[in-house]
PDB file of all heavy atoms in Angstrom:
ATOM      1  N   HIS A 203     -95.091 -59.558  70.292  1.00  0.00           N
ATOM      2  CA  HIS A 203     -94.872 -59.659  68.859  1.00  0.00           C
ATOM      3  C   HIS A 203     -95.911 -58.737  68.113  1.00  0.00           C
ATOM      4  O   HIS A 203     -95.553 -58.037  67.217  1.00  0.00           O
ATOM      5  CB  HIS A 203     -95.067 -61.060  68.305  1.00  0.00           C
ATOM      6  CG  HIS A 203     -94.098 -62.081  68.804  1.00  0.00           C
ATOM      7  ND1 HIS A 203     -92.786 -61.675  69.165  1.00  0.00           N
ATOM      8  CD2 HIS A 203     -94.128 -63.365  68.962  1.00  0.00           C
ATOM      9  CE1 HIS A 203     -92.115 -62.744  69.532  1.00  0.00           C
ATOM     10  NE2 HIS A 203     -92.850 -63.800  69.424  1.00  0.00           N
ATOM     11  N   GLY A 204     -97.124 -58.777  68.633  1.00  0.00           N
ATOM     12  CA  GLY A 204     -98.247 -57.996  68.014  1.00  0.00           C
ATOM     13  C   GLY A 204     -97.843 -56.538  68.023  1.00  0.00           C
ATOM     14  O   GLY A 204     -98.092 -55.808  66.970  1.00  0.00           O
ATOM     15  N   GLU A 205     -97.331 -56.028  69.112  1.00  0.00           N
ATOM     16  CA  GLU A 205     -96.979 -54.579  69.152  1.00  0.00           C
ATOM     17  C   GLU A 205     -95.930 -54.285  68.154  1.00  0.00           C
ATOM     18  O   GLU A 205     -95.993 -53.224  67.401  1.00  0.00           O
ATOM     19  CB  GLU A 205     -96.413 -54.264  70.603  1.00  0.00           C
ATOM     20  CG  GLU A 205     -97.511 -54.021  71.609  1.00  0.00           C
ATOM     21  CD  GLU A 205     -96.997 -53.854  72.988  1.00  0.00           C
ATOM     22  OE1 GLU A 205     -95.873 -53.354  73.081  1.00  0.00           O
ATOM     23  OE2 GLU A 205     -97.711 -54.306  73.897  1.00  0.00           O
ATOM     24  N   LEU A 206     -94.949 -55.160  67.966  1.00  0.00           N
ATOM     25  CA  LEU A 206     -93.782 -54.921  66.950  1.00  0.00           C
ATOM     26  C   LEU A 206     -94.305 -55.074  65.554  1.00  0.00           C
ATOM     27  O   LEU A 206     -93.787 -54.408  64.655  1.00  0.00           O
ATOM     28  CB  LEU A 206     -92.636 -55.869  67.255  1.00  0.00           C
ATOM     29  CG  LEU A 206     -91.957 -55.618  68.633  1.00  0.00           C
ATOM     30  CD1 LEU A 206     -90.974 -56.753  68.980  1.00  0.00           C
ATOM     31  CD2 LEU A 206     -91.200 -54.290  68.676  1.00  0.00           C
ATOM     32  N   LEU A 207     -95.245 -55.973  65.347  1.00  0.00           N
ATOM     33  CA  LEU A 207     -95.715 -56.243  64.029  1.00  0.00           C
ATOM     34  C   LEU A 207     -96.812 -55.259  63.520  1.00  0.00           C
ATOM     35  O   LEU A 207     -97.039 -55.114  62.316  1.00  0.00           O
ATOM     36  CB  LEU A 207     -96.281 -57.613  63.858  1.00  0.00           C
ATOM     37  CG  LEU A 207     -95.364 -58.711  63.313  1.00  0.00           C
ATOM     38  CD1 LEU A 207     -94.230 -58.976  64.205  1.00  0.00           C
ATOM     39  CD2 LEU A 207     -96.123 -60.009  63.052  1.00  0.00           C
ATOM     40  N   ASP A 208     -97.396 -54.592  64.469  1.00  0.00           N
ATOM     41  CA  ASP A 208     -98.587 -53.801  64.218  1.00  0.00           C
ATOM     42  C   ASP A 208     -98.463 -52.870  62.933  1.00  0.00           C
ATOM     43  O   ASP A 208     -99.350 -52.853  62.111  1.00  0.00           O
ATOM     44  CB  ASP A 208     -98.935 -52.955  65.456  1.00  0.00           C
ATOM     45  CG  ASP A 208    -100.345 -52.443  65.403  1.00  0.00           C
ATOM     46  OD1 ASP A 208    -101.268 -53.239  65.341  1.00  0.00           O
ATOM     47  OD2 ASP A 208    -100.495 -51.213  65.300  1.00  0.00           O
ATOM     48  N   ARG A 209     -97.349 -52.218  62.899  1.00  0.00           N
ATOM     49  CA  ARG A 209     -97.171 -51.242  61.771  1.00  0.00           C
ATOM     50  C   ARG A 209     -97.159 -51.927  60.347  1.00  0.00           C
ATOM     51  O   ARG A 209     -97.293 -51.248  59.347  1.00  0.00           O
ATOM     52  CB  ARG A 209     -95.990 -50.366  61.938  1.00  0.00           C
ATOM     53  CG  ARG A 209     -94.700 -51.158  62.094  1.00  0.00           C
ATOM     54  CD  ARG A 209     -93.514 -50.245  62.190  1.00  0.00           C
ATOM     55  NE  ARG A 209     -93.260 -49.580  60.973  1.00  0.00           N
ATOM     56  CZ  ARG A 209     -91.959 -49.292  60.555  1.00  0.00           C
ATOM     57  NH1 ARG A 209     -90.965 -49.501  61.353  1.00  0.00           N
ATOM     58  NH2 ARG A 209     -91.846 -48.726  59.380  1.00  0.00           N
ATOM     59  N   TYR A 210     -96.943 -53.211  60.327  1.00  0.00           N
ATOM     60  CA  TYR A 210     -96.853 -53.927  59.060  1.00  0.00           C
ATOM     61  C   TYR A 210     -98.203 -54.607  58.686  1.00  0.00           C
ATOM     62  O   TYR A 210     -98.323 -55.009  57.520  1.00  0.00           O
ATOM     63  CB  TYR A 210     -95.754 -55.022  59.116  1.00  0.00           C
ATOM     64  CG  TYR A 210     -94.387 -54.457  59.301  1.00  0.00           C
ATOM     65  CD1 TYR A 210     -93.801 -54.489  60.657  1.00  0.00           C
ATOM     66  CD2 TYR A 210     -93.654 -53.861  58.310  1.00  0.00           C
ATOM     67  CE1 TYR A 210     -92.555 -53.983  60.885  1.00  0.00           C
ATOM     68  CE2 TYR A 210     -92.441 -53.318  58.568  1.00  0.00           C
ATOM     69  CZ  TYR A 210     -91.844 -53.352  59.836  1.00  0.00           C
ATOM     70  OH  TYR A 210     -90.665 -52.824  60.086  1.00  0.00           O
ATOM     71  N   ILE A 211     -99.088 -54.750  59.672  1.00  0.00           N
ATOM     72  CA  ILE A 211    -100.268 -55.592  59.361  1.00  0.00           C
ATOM     73  C   ILE A 211    -101.328 -54.783  58.589  1.00  0.00           C
ATOM     74  O   ILE A 211    -101.704 -53.682  59.042  1.00  0.00           O
ATOM     75  CB  ILE A 211    -100.856 -56.114  60.692  1.00  0.00           C
ATOM     76  CG1 ILE A 211     -99.803 -56.888  61.499  1.00  0.00           C
ATOM     77  CG2 ILE A 211    -102.091 -56.932  60.469  1.00  0.00           C
ATOM     78  CD1 ILE A 211    -100.268 -57.385  62.905  1.00  0.00           C
ATOM     79  N   ARG A 212    -101.769 -55.296  57.505  1.00  0.00           N
ATOM     80  CA  ARG A 212    -102.731 -54.593  56.660  1.00  0.00           C
ATOM     81  C   ARG A 212    -103.759 -55.549  56.034  1.00  0.00           C
ATOM     82  O   ARG A 212    -103.479 -56.696  55.903  1.00  0.00           O
ATOM     83  CB  ARG A 212    -102.049 -53.926  55.451  1.00  0.00           C
ATOM     84  CG  ARG A 212    -101.034 -52.893  55.803  1.00  0.00           C
ATOM     85  CD  ARG A 212    -101.709 -51.489  55.950  1.00  0.00           C
ATOM     86  NE  ARG A 212    -100.714 -50.466  55.889  1.00  0.00           N
ATOM     87  CZ  ARG A 212     -99.736 -50.360  56.686  1.00  0.00           C
ATOM     88  NH1 ARG A 212     -99.586 -51.190  57.745  1.00  0.00           N
ATOM     89  NH2 ARG A 212     -98.796 -49.358  56.533  1.00  0.00           N
ATOM     90  N   ASP A 213    -104.871 -54.969  55.712  1.00  0.00           N
ATOM     91  CA  ASP A 213    -105.864 -55.674  54.808  1.00  0.00           C
ATOM     92  C   ASP A 213    -105.189 -55.473  53.450  1.00  0.00           C
ATOM     93  O   ASP A 213    -105.135 -54.302  52.931  1.00  0.00           O
ATOM     94  CB  ASP A 213    -107.208 -55.052  54.889  1.00  0.00           C
ATOM     95  CG  ASP A 213    -108.188 -55.573  53.938  1.00  0.00           C
ATOM     96  OD1 ASP A 213    -107.810 -56.504  53.190  1.00  0.00           O
ATOM     97  OD2 ASP A 213    -109.380 -55.095  53.900  1.00  0.00           O
ATOM     98  N   ILE A 214    -104.657 -56.505  52.848  1.00  0.00           N
ATOM     99  CA  ILE A 214    -103.911 -56.249  51.528  1.00  0.00           C
ATOM    100  C   ILE A 214    -104.858 -56.142  50.361  1.00  0.00           C
ATOM    101  O   ILE A 214    -104.416 -55.846  49.241  1.00  0.00           O
ATOM    102  CB  ILE A 214    -102.864 -57.338  51.326  1.00  0.00           C
ATOM    103  CG1 ILE A 214    -103.427 -58.748  51.065  1.00  0.00           C
ATOM    104  CG2 ILE A 214    -101.788 -57.308  52.429  1.00  0.00           C
ATOM    105  CD1 ILE A 214    -102.492 -59.666  50.337  1.00  0.00           C
ATOM    106  N   TYR A 215    -106.167 -56.519  50.530  1.00  0.00           N
ATOM    107  CA  TYR A 215    -107.111 -56.384  49.397  1.00  0.00           C
ATOM    108  C   TYR A 215    -106.998 -55.027  48.704  1.00  0.00           C
ATOM    109  O   TYR A 215    -106.743 -54.971  47.539  1.00  0.00           O
ATOM    110  CB  TYR A 215    -108.506 -56.717  49.908  1.00  0.00           C
ATOM    111  CG  TYR A 215    -109.567 -56.488  48.860  1.00  0.00           C
ATOM    112  CD1 TYR A 215    -109.737 -57.309  47.752  1.00  0.00           C
ATOM    113  CD2 TYR A 215    -110.419 -55.370  49.062  1.00  0.00           C
ATOM    114  CE1 TYR A 215    -110.723 -57.015  46.856  1.00  0.00           C
ATOM    115  CE2 TYR A 215    -111.399 -55.109  48.070  1.00  0.00           C
ATOM    116  CZ  TYR A 215    -111.522 -55.876  47.006  1.00  0.00           C
ATOM    117  OH  TYR A 215    -112.456 -55.639  46.028  1.00  0.00           O
ATOM    118  N   PRO A 216    -107.239 -53.891  49.458  1.00  0.00           N
ATOM    119  CA  PRO A 216    -107.229 -52.594  48.733  1.00  0.00           C
ATOM    120  C   PRO A 216    -105.854 -52.260  48.149  1.00  0.00           C
ATOM    121  O   PRO A 216    -105.675 -51.555  47.204  1.00  0.00           O
ATOM    122  CB  PRO A 216    -107.595 -51.601  49.818  1.00  0.00           C
ATOM    123  CG  PRO A 216    -107.508 -52.276  51.116  1.00  0.00           C
ATOM    124  CD  PRO A 216    -107.634 -53.736  50.924  1.00  0.00           C
ATOM    125  N   ILE A 217    -104.768 -52.822  48.881  1.00  0.00           N
ATOM    126  CA  ILE A 217    -103.415 -52.454  48.361  1.00  0.00           C
ATOM    127  C   ILE A 217    -103.162 -53.190  47.025  1.00  0.00           C
ATOM    128  O   ILE A 217    -102.693 -52.574  46.064  1.00  0.00           O
ATOM    129  CB  ILE A 217    -102.398 -52.950  49.514  1.00  0.00           C
ATOM    130  CG1 ILE A 217    -102.583 -52.141  50.769  1.00  0.00           C
ATOM    131  CG2 ILE A 217    -100.949 -52.772  48.966  1.00  0.00           C
ATOM    132  CD1 ILE A 217    -101.725 -52.564  51.933  1.00  0.00           C
ATOM    133  N   VAL A 218    -103.460 -54.481  46.977  1.00  0.00           N
ATOM    134  CA  VAL A 218    -103.214 -55.221  45.756  1.00  0.00           C
ATOM    135  C   VAL A 218    -104.160 -54.760  44.650  1.00  0.00           C
ATOM    136  O   VAL A 218    -103.727 -54.543  43.516  1.00  0.00           O
ATOM    137  CB  VAL A 218    -103.310 -56.768  46.043  1.00  0.00           C
ATOM    138  CG1 VAL A 218    -103.254 -57.521  44.722  1.00  0.00           C
ATOM    139  CG2 VAL A 218    -102.200 -57.189  46.980  1.00  0.00           C
ATOM    140  N   GLN A 219    -105.439 -54.650  44.955  1.00  0.00           N
ATOM    141  CA  GLN A 219    -106.407 -54.207  43.952  1.00  0.00           C
ATOM    142  C   GLN A 219    -106.150 -52.836  43.462  1.00  0.00           C
ATOM    143  O   GLN A 219    -106.300 -52.553  42.271  1.00  0.00           O
ATOM    144  CB  GLN A 219    -107.839 -54.374  44.468  1.00  0.00           C
ATOM    145  CG  GLN A 219    -108.296 -55.846  44.808  1.00  0.00           C
ATOM    146  CD  GLN A 219    -108.174 -56.777  43.565  1.00  0.00           C
ATOM    147  OE1 GLN A 219    -108.476 -56.371  42.416  1.00  0.00           O
ATOM    148  NE2 GLN A 219    -107.713 -57.921  43.787  1.00  0.00           N
ATOM    149  N   GLY A 220    -105.682 -51.983  44.403  1.00  0.00           N
ATOM    150  CA  GLY A 220    -105.332 -50.583  44.051  1.00  0.00           C
ATOM    151  C   GLY A 220    -104.182 -50.636  43.035  1.00  0.00           C
ATOM    152  O   GLY A 220    -104.182 -49.822  42.055  1.00  0.00           O
TER     153      GLY A 220
END
Side-chain angles (χ1 to χ4, degrees):
H203 294 332
E205 280 173 30
L206 295 169
L207 260 68
D208 197 62
R209 55 177 290 213
Y210 298 101
I211 303 175
R212 294 276 197 297
D213 175 3
I214 67 160
Y215 170 74
I217 297 176
V218 171
Q219 295 303 321

